[in-house]
Amino acid sequence: QVQLVESGGGLVQPGGSMRLSCAASGISLSIYTMAWYRQAPGKQRELVAAHTTGGSANYADSVKGRFTISRDNAKNTVYLQMNSLKPEDTAVYFCRAVRVTIYWGQGTQVTVSS
């Protein structure tokens, strides 16, 4: 059974930092394109960052220069380092793995508020 489990969410003040983790079981992330998405209340789910098996990363314009996606294949985990957080970053963050099949995690809530 394939599982993607996100962790690391919570409440943070504006300007703060947070690191999300996505740990996989049942698949080897090293052969998957990995991505983080987010969905704010009343909005569509949007791509935040993606990381290919070749090591290339791309980001939504709204997070460029603030967020960094990375992976540790030995730990079968993908990360999203989020710096200089803003209230508009508040959302549920989801991890996605894509190869032929698409797998989603259950999401973790990130709230940026003072």
Side-chain angles (χ1 to χ4, degrees):
Q1 183 181 359
V2 176
Q3 279 192 313
L4 299 178
V5 179
E6 300 97 334
S7 62
L11 174 65
V12 64
Q13 291 188 341
S17 296
M18 182 176 283
R19 188 177 79 159
L20 304 182
S21 300
C22 171
S25 59
I27 57 171
S28 174
L29 295 187
S30 63
I31 61 172
Y32 283 78
T33 293
M34 299 302 299
W36 286 95
Y37 282 72
R38 68 186 180 187
Q39 187 166 19
K43 295 188 177 181
Q44 289 190 330
R45 192 172 295 190
E46 64 174 356
L47 175 67
V48 175
H51 190 274
T52 69
T53 56
S56 298
N58 58 77
Y59 300 90
D61 287 344
S62 59
V63 307
K64 279 181 183 175
R66 300 188 298 122
F67 290 12
T68 303
I69 186 172
S70 62
R71 70 170 80 199
D72 185 334
N73 289 333
K75 294 183 178 179
N76 218 24
T77 300
V78 174
Y79 304 98
L80 184 68
Q81 178 66 43
M82 305 185 293
N83 299 327
S84 302
L85 282 160
K86 305 175 181 180
E88 51 263 43
D89 294 319
T90 296
V92 178
Y93 284 70
F94 298 89
C95 173
R96 189 183 83 160
V98 178
R99 193 181 181 206
V100 175
T101 306
I102 299 173
Y103 299 102
W104 288 94
Q106 83 290 347
T108 186
Q109 175 70 45
V110 173
T111 302
V112 185
S113 175
S114 55

